[in-house]
Amino acid sequence: MVDSFLETLDHPLKPVIERLRLAVLDADDAMSERIKWRAPSFCFNSVDRVTFNLRPLHHVQLIFHRGAKTIEDDFHFDTAKWTGLLEMIGQDRGQVIFPSAEVATARQDEFVALVREWVRA
């Protein structure tokens, strides 16, 4: 399903999206994916945790979350560790924006480490 979706995707940064998709899937064996909100979304224990936002055409944006709705609890995640990569946009939501293919390539290992830590938090 995701492969079919990506085959028809018209986005100037499609190669970056495809590369990051594989990186997220490789980040943890327990990750699965589906199309949600008209974009690839990655689940951990059946809960969406990382989702592409494909609307911006000038950069690649991934939303880090803990499901569709904010969860009111004590979410302990060391955001300071990810300063400069992860921008928090809510209590339990953040975003990573790659402005170019070069930046995505340069920060891919750090991004994968962030995904691993986020999904298990």
Side-chain angles (χ1 to χ4, degrees), residues 46-67:
S46 301
V47 177
D48 292 288
R49 300 302 304 268
V50 179
T51 304
F52 278 99
N53 176 1
L54 299 177
R55 289 183 304 255
L57 298 178
H58 60 285
H59 64 252
V60 174
Q61 179 182 25
L62 294 106
I63 305 299
F64 284 64
H65 52 92
R66 297 176 9 174

Side-chain angles (χ1 to χ4, degrees), residues 7-74:
E7 283 177 19
T8 63
L9 179 65
D10 182 20
H11 194 287
L13 294 170
K14 182 177 177 178
V16 177
I17 293 164
E18 292 173 328
R19 189 172 69 246
L20 290 173
R21 172 197 176 214
L22 296 177
V24 170
L25 289 172
D26 287 343
D28 195 302
D29 289 340
M31 296 290 280
S32 61
E33 69 176 334
R34 63 183 172 166
I35 298 298
K36 189 163 186 177
W37 302 299
R38 291 189 226 158
S41 187
F42 304 92
C43 301
F44 184 80
N45 291 334
S46 301
V47 177
D48 292 288
R49 300 302 304 268
V50 179
T51 304
F52 278 99
N53 176 1
L54 299 177
R55 289 183 304 255
L57 298 178
H58 60 285
H59 64 252
V60 174
Q61 179 182 25
L62 294 106
I63 305 299
F64 284 64
H65 52 92
R66 297 176 9 174
K69 296 181 181 182
T70 298
I71 299 170
E72 299 292 333
D73 65 1
D74 292 327

Side-chain angles (χ1 to χ4, degrees), residues 68-83:
K69 296 181 181 182
T70 298
I71 299 170
E72 299 292 333
D73 65 1
D74 292 327
F75 179 55
H76 298 289
F77 185 80
D78 184 7
T79 59
K81 179 178 177 180
W82 305 103
T83 300

